[in-house]
């Protein structure tokens, strides 16, 4: 499975749990470009909070750095 598909499989469900979405725009040997649409912003009053976009991006970058350190991740708004 291509590395971009593995990345999507690992993180699409996390984004979807907040109502967001991640979509593959382009994959080259050096770069993966994803479109990210954040989900609803929760106020955390009920104890359920959304994962901030910066944290999700950091998790994806860390995952990619372990799996394919030569590949750069670009995230654009959906």
């Amino acid at each position: 499975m291509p590395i971009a598909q593995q990345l999507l499989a690992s993180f699409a469900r996390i984004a979807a749990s907040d109502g967001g979405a991640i979509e593959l725009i382009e994959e080259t040997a050096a770069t993966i470009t994803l479109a990210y649409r954040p989900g609803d912003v929760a106020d955390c009053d009920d104890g359920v909070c959304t994962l901030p976009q910066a944290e999700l991006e950091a998790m994806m970058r860390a995952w990619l750095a372990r799996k394919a350190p030569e590949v750069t991740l670009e995230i654009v708004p959906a």
Side-chain angles (χ1 to χ4, degrees), residues 6-62:
Q6 292 177 38
L7 180 65
L8 284 173
S10 296
F11 291 96
R13 187 173 34 197
I14 294 171
S17 69
D18 294 339
I22 302 170
E23 178 184 351
L24 178 62
I25 301 297
E26 182 180 29
E27 179 179 16
T28 67
T31 306
I32 295 172
T33 304
L34 300 178
Y36 174 63
R37 179 183 49 81
D40 299 328
V41 177
D43 57 16
C44 298
D45 287 341
D46 61 358
V48 178
C49 301
T50 58
L51 183 64
Q53 180 175 346
E55 288 185 31
L56 180 60
E57 287 183 24
M59 290 169 53
M60 289 190 288
R61 289 180 198 286

Side-chain angles (χ1 to χ4, degrees), residues 63-77:
W63 182 94
L64 189 59
R66 283 191 312 275
K67 300 286 186 174
E70 71 283 359
V71 178
T72 302
L73 179 62
E74 294 180 3
I75 300 174
V76 298

